[in-house]
């Protein structure tokens, strides 16, 4: 299949170009906040009918969500994916408009911002992490779609009928690994968490939804990494298949398991 010719620039205002990638980030955050506000209004879903914050507080917190994701994502990329280059060119670390963000760093920044905020409020931090688990899949889905539009993070060559010839990646069709990740980490994981929060009522056991997110994201990412090409300057770390993405995802998997064990133990 030929790559759909979609301009990475959504629109321009004079010399300023607005890219789909930036719009995906913003849409993911504000759609996630909107969905989170709906969940917070249903107090019966939460332990002791007490959400970790009010819908209005979440809306006000949206600015800090942006800061946490952008700062954490950039620091994660600098430290995890290209530390030697940025050590030699430190000012380039601030050039976020040139691209280069790490999901794992963004997740850590987001969790840190939420934890500090709720600690100051003396609210339940685990319930806050559950709230992030409910909302984050929306941004994951849109972000991976933006990766596809940019023609980046594509996969290895394939003979499957849905293989796509990406610009700048040769003449052979490749796995659209961005869409694999978007469907698994975004849409499927959203539906799974929605089932557990609204049918199994796991928000009454703080930490459970966050644990489900951690496990679901990790398994989805590790699976997709088998089809996705690693960054050219890093390559495979070992065995001809182990990638940096897999290594960074393992702590997310372990944290997810630990959260579920903790939540079930406390509930029991």
């Amino acid at each position: 299949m030929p790559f759909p010719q979609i301009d990475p620039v959504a629109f321009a205002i004079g010399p300023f170009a607005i890219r789909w990638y930036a719009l995906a980030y913003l849409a993911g955050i504000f759609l996630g906040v909107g969905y989170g506000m709906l969940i917070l209004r249903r107090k019966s879903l939460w332990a002791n009918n007490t959400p970790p914050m009010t819908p209005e507080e979440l809306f006000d917190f949206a600015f800090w969500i942006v800061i946490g994701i952008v700062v954490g994502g950039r620091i994660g990329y600098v430290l995890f994916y290209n530390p030697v280059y940025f050590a030699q060119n430190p000012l380039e670390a601030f050039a976020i408009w040139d691209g280069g963000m790490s999901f794992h760093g963004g997740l850590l920044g987001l969790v840190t911002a939420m934890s500090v905020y709720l600690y100051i409020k003396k609210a339940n931090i685990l319930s806050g992490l559950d709230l992030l688990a409910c909302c984050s899949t929306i941004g994951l889905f849109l972000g991976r779609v933006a990766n596809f539009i940019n023609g980046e993070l594509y996969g290895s060559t394939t003979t499957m009928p849905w293989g796509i010839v990406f610009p700048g990646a040769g003449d052979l069709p490749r796995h659209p690994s961005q869409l694999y990740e978007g469907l698994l980490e975004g849409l499927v994981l959203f539906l799974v968490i929605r089932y557990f929060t609204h049918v199994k009522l796991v928000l009454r056991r703080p930490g459970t939804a966050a644990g489900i997110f951690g496990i679901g994201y990790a398994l989805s990412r590790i699976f997709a990494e088998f089809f996705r090409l690693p960054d050219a300057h890093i390559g495979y770390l070992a065995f001809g298949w182990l990638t940096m993405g897999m290594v960074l995802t393992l702590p997310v998997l372990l944290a997810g398991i630990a959260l579920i064990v903790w939540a079930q133990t406390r509930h029991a």
Side-chain angles (χ1 to χ4, degrees):
M1 296 174 60
F3 181 77
Q5 295 300 319
I6 304 174
D7 192 338
V9 176
F11 60 90
I13 303 176
F16 299 102
I18 309 299
R19 296 180 173 270
W20 287 111
Y21 198 72
L23 293 179
Y25 260 84
L26 293 176
I29 290 170
F30 287 104
L31 287 174
V33 167
Y35 179 62
M37 292 172 69
L38 293 176
I39 296 176
L40 290 171
R41 289 195 175 98
R42 293 191 58 179
K43 294 184 178 181
S44 60
L45 292 175
W46 301 89
N48 302 317
N49 295 316
T50 307
M53 61 177 67
T54 67
E56 293 73 24
E57 287 172 333
L58 178 60
F59 185 81
D60 293 338
F61 185 66
F63 172 76
W64 297 105
I65 292 176
V66 175
I67 298 299
I69 292 175
V70 172
V71 173
R74 186 58 173 177
I75 292 175
Y77 181 79
V78 169
L79 295 180
F80 300 148
Y81 287 95
N82 217 338
V84 175
Y85 173 80
F86 288 107
Q88 298 170 348
N89 304 274
L91 294 180
E92 292 293 320
F94 299 97
I96 59 175
W97 50 86
D98 289 335
M101 298 287 283
S102 162
F103 164 81
H104 300 89
L107 176 63
L108 186 58
L110 180 55
V111 167
T112 300
M114 176 64 82
S115 298
V116 171
Y117 178 77
L118 293 179
Y119 178 79
I120 294 173
K121 280 178 47 55
K122 297 182 179 179
N124 192 313
I125 294 177
L126 288 180
S127 288
L129 298 184
D130 288 339
L131 178 64
L132 292 181
C134 296
C135 306
S136 297
T137 52
I138 298 173
L140 281 171
F141 174 76
L142 294 175
R144 294 310 180 190
V145 171
N147 289 146
F148 178 78
I149 292 174
N150 284 348
E152 60 189 4
L153 307 183
Y154 43 76
S156 55
T157 57
T158 180
T159 57
M160 292 297 188
W162 56 82
I164 293 178
V165 179
F166 286 92
D171 298 327
L172 296 177
R174 297 179 176 275
H175 286 285
S177 53
Q178 318 95 322
L179 300 183
Y180 298 171
E181 290 191 61
L183 289 174
L184 292 173
E185 303 166 4
L187 180 59
V188 173
L189 190 53
F190 173 86
L191 294 175
V192 169
I193 294 175
R194 171 82 182 189
Y195 169 77
F196 278 100
T197 56
H198 287 68
V199 177
K200 295 299 184 179
L201 304 177
V202 298
L203 292 176
R204 297 176 182 177
R205 288 170 282 177
T208 304
I212 293 170
F213 173 86
I215 294 173
Y217 170 80
L219 294 179
S220 300
R221 177 66 183 267
I222 291 172
F223 172 78
E225 285 285 320
F226 283 101
F227 302 96
R228 170 179 162 178
L229 285 180
D231 288 26
H233 64 282
I234 297 178
Y236 293 106
L237 302 183
F239 315 119
W241 54 264
L242 183 67
T243 67
M244 179 63 76
M246 292 180 181
V247 171
L248 294 176
T249 299
L250 284 176
V252 180
L253 175 62
L254 296 176
I257 295 172
L259 281 169
I260 288 182
V261 171
W262 171 263
Q264 301 309 310
T265 301
R266 292 198 65 184
H267 180 70

